[in-house]
Structure formats: structure tokens, C-alpha cells
Amino acid sequence: MSISRRELLKLAAGSATVLSLSSLSFGQGTTPLRIGIVGTHGKGESNRKAAAQFGTIAAICDVDHTRLAQAAADHPEAERFLDFRAMITDRSLNLDAVVVSTPDHTHAAAAALAQARGLHVYCEKPLTRAIGEARRLAQLARTNRCVTQMGNQGAAADNFRRAVNFVRDGGLGEIREVHCWTDRAKGWWPQGGPASPPKRHPESLEWRLWLGPAPYRPFADGYHPFAWRGRRDFGTGALGDMGCHLMNLLWHSVDLRSPRTITAETGTFDVDSFPTDAQVQFDYADFGLTWYESGRRPTPPAGLEIGGNGGLIVGSRDTLYFDDAYGAEPRLLSGNPIPDISFTKSPGHMKEWFDGMQGGDRPYSDIVHAGAPLTELLLLGNLAILTGKPTHLNGQIGRADLRGYEDLVNPARTPGWEI
């Protein structure tokens, strides 16, 4: 199943009318919201099960016949699709919203098409694979007033939000340096070398639909279902994968919107891959933020033993530290408790999105204010990694002048998969 480019353009042109009609019912809360699921397994499984608690799963889509059938057993009344373009544009479904849980390279295609229809969008992290895609999704969310949420679920934790407000209110004093690290990709997926030799794709897999906007290549071991993360056409490497979790607390508590220069040191890598390891320096007017991956680590403060994932915000009064992937268990190195200051408690990351669709507060990780700009910051780090050159920015995240990097900022897309 597919949709032509002409049909997509017609759809985008009619999006304002669709929004004005459909959004009349979103705030009434009289009937369950009708949700379309794009990607049914892995994170897609937990997301669809979470969404099913608050709305009706009206349609499910997966490019793998076996996985689609397994998901259908959980949602026997849902319509089934192999191509999310067909699902999102099927007006007979009367969808209100879409949950996107696919590999990074198809996030933008699904989310943009949904927003063009005036549908609300929950999209897994990282929001997109390319900077231009992130900016486009933010623009669509603003224009069509879509309620959105990016899937970095740690943002719903009480301790996360309490720590954010504490740092934002000056609890650490003057910020001097920031560090963040992950154990990815080593031991999780391969990076640094060429792809595995081509082989026939599984019979259950619609390979060209899995590729979507990416350039055609034969199937190989590691692409489906997981190790695509290290491949530049499909994933965003360790920084894109884990940064939306690990740097989320930093993003909300420290002003990271205006890095002056971004530089990177890397291990070896093939043209198809992200490097074996990397360290990225984001320089700001008053402090520096350093990202470490694949075994690289900062020098820890005296007496602190750091683990596989974590972060440090070093201030003039105290240092905040967390050693979990979500930043959900932060603490102060002084040993003092984080004060019990006021913060907005979350009903749950998925529930925030449903509440927002029914007239509630804006979700914490919405695309415009958090999902797109945080993703862009991480992808700017990847720009420095992949080019081997310092990235000098002129302006803030979302508006920085990136001429000269067009092939990475707005990469070519397969016809029929345009945004």
C-alpha cells in the first residue's frame, strides 16, 4: 500500500480544514480518543499498551507481517496496515492522534503526515534523524496547533522535576561545567565499521517500507529490529539515542539553547556508520557541556565512582549528580537533600499527552518547546562528529544558520516520502 506524492500534497493543503473540524471534539472528553499506532513492537509495544489505557486503538501499522499479527491479537478491532501513509490518510478511521515508535529515519515522515492532517502526535525519541526534520515538525505543531509529546519518559518522574526547578531557581549557584555520559554504543550495537554483507530479508518483512525515505540498500543482519541505530541512514548513534534521556534534565534546568561552538573527538568510523566512540564539547558563554560515549568518561569529583550512564551539573554552591539513564534519581554531592520545592506533578508521560488533547496542560516534552530543540542540539553534536569540523553557530537552536551542511541538515529523501 502507498500514497502518491500528489495525494500527499493535496492532503497537506487541506490540513487547516481538517484541524478546524476535528479539534472541536478533542476538548469535550465525551468519547475515547481514536489512536493510530505506527510501530507495534519494542518501544512500540509499551507505547501502544500505555495508549490503550486512555484511548481506543483504532488502527495499527507495522512493516513486519508477523509483528503486526501479534499486535492484532491485543487489538482485534483495530484496522491493520503495513504502510503508515495509508493508515494516516484513511479518513474513514476518524483518527484523533498517532503514536510513532519506529526507527529514527521514519519518525519525521509519519509525524509530519499526521500533523498535516491536524492529528496529534506522540513520537519516540529522538524526535527526528535530521535537523531540518526537527524544525519542520516544530513548525507543523505550531501551525496546526497539534498536541505533541516526545517519548523521553523520565521527564514524568517527581525527582526529575523537583531537581529541574531547584537548578533553574539557582540552587546550585553559578553553573561552571556540565558533563553527561553513556555506555552506548559498545556492547549494545555495532558502530565504526561497514554494514554486514547483504542477504535476503525475512519473508515477513516489507523491506522497502522499512527503508521508507532512506536510500535503497539490500537487507543485512542488524538492521531489523535493533542494530540500525549505528547506521547513519537510519539512526542517530549514541548521542541521538541516549541524549534525549540523559540530557533532558540538563536541557530543562540549564539554558542550552545557544551553544557558541561544538567540537568533537572521535574514534574510527566508516562512511556508513557512527564512530566507535566520541566526546563532544558544547561551549556556551558561561560554561561548557561535555558529552562522552562508548566508555569515555569525565574525571569524577573526589570520592565519586561513576557508572555507565549519568550526568553532573557543577555549580558554585553544590553539584547535582545522577547515575541513571533518565535522570530520575538525582542527588546533591554535598549530601544535602534536594529541597522539597514546588513542581508540577505528572499524571504519567502518556497520560499528559491524552490530557493535553482534552484541554489540559501542555505536555512537558512537547515538540515545540522541548522535543524539537533538544533533538536539534543532539544532532548538532552529530554534525560535529560526522564532519570532523567545529560547528560555529550564529543564533539559537531552531534558528541557527547551518548553510554549508545541507546534505546533513536536510538529506535527500526517496520520492513519495517527502515531508
Side-chain angles (χ1 to χ4, degrees), residues 36 67 70 81 86 181 202 215 219 235-236 242-243 346 350 367 376 415:
R67 292 180 167 219
Q70 290 169 346
F81 293 85
W181 60 93
F219 180 81
T236 50
M242 294 303 294
S346 173
M350 183 68 74
I367 285 177
E376 177 168 334

Side-chain angles (χ1 to χ4, degrees), residues 136-223:
R136 179 59 175 150
L137 292 191
Q139 180 188 34
L140 283 167
R142 288 190 193 96
T143 302
N144 291 349
R145 295 186 296 170
C146 301
V147 177
T148 58
Q149 181 86 304
M150 183 175 73
N152 51 353
Q153 296 79 8
D158 287 354
N159 291 331
F160 175 103
R161 297 193 174 192
R162 184 182 292 111
V164 163
N165 287 2
F166 172 71
V167 176
R168 189 187 291 160
D169 290 347
L172 296 180
E174 179 184 341
I175 303 301
R176 293 177 171 171
E177 55 187 277
V178 183
H179 303 271
C180 197
W181 60 93
T182 181
D183 56 3
R184 271 66 159 187
K186 287 184 177 177
W188 290 84
W189 62 82
Q191 282 188 191
S196 300
K199 61 182 293 187
R200 180 171 177 76
H201 62 76
E203 291 293 333
S204 65
L205 178 63
E206 297 291 338
W207 177 236
R208 286 187 179 270
L209 288 179
W210 189 94
L211 286 171
Y216 180 80
R217 67 169 72 192
F219 180 81
D221 285 335
Y223 295 151

Side-chain angles (χ1 to χ4, degrees), residues 146-149 161 343-366 369:
C146 301
V147 177
T148 58
Q149 181 86 304
R161 297 193 174 192
F343 65 94
T344 301
K345 190 176 180 66
S346 173
H349 202 64
M350 183 68 74
K351 184 63 161 57
E352 280 180 34
W353 181 54
F354 275 87
D355 288 350
M357 287 188 280
Q358 295 174 308
D361 293 339
R362 184 182 78 208
Y364 199 87
S365 287
D366 79 304
H369 300 87

Side-chain angles (χ1 to χ4, degrees), residues 24 65 68 90 113 115 178 277 304 344 392 410:
L24 292 174
H65 292 261
L68 184 61
D90 187 339
L113 185 57
Q115 288 184 100
V178 183
D277 55 278
L304 180 66
T344 301
H392 301 283
N410 288 300

Side-chain angles (χ1 to χ4, degrees), residues 5 9 49 213 238 300 310 313 323 329 350 376 391:
R5 187 170 185 270
L9 292 173
K49 288 182 176 180
I313 306 176
D323 59 359
E329 297 296 334
M350 183 68 74
E376 177 168 334
T391 303

Side-chain angles (χ1 to χ4, degrees), residues 135 247 250-251 254-262 281-289 373-374 376-378 380 391-402:
R135 293 181 176 183
M247 286 176 62
L250 314 180
W251 173 263
V254 181
D255 185 4
L256 300 179
R257 288 182 176 269
S258 302
R260 293 181 168 186
T261 305
I262 305 174
Q281 182 69 31
F282 300 81
D283 287 320
Y284 293 84
D286 301 317
F287 63 90
L289 183 159
L374 173 55
E376 177 168 334
L377 178 68
L378 306 177
L380 285 169
T391 303
H392 301 283
L393 298 180
N394 176 23
Q396 290 188 328
I397 296 297
R399 297 192 296 273
D401 183 357
L402 295 172

Side-chain angles (χ1 to χ4, degrees), residues 373-419:
L374 173 55
T375 296
E376 177 168 334
L377 178 68
L378 306 177
L379 297 179
L380 285 169
N382 275 345
L383 200 64
I385 286 174
L386 296 175
T387 63
K389 303 174 183 177
T391 303
H392 301 283
L393 298 180
N394 176 23
Q396 290 188 328
I397 296 297
R399 297 192 296 273
D401 183 357
L402 295 172
R403 284 174 292 184
Y405 300 103
E406 192 66 18
D407 59 329
L408 294 173
V409 173
N410 288 300
R413 304 175 69 83
T414 297
W417 297 88
E418 295 89 350
I419 295 178

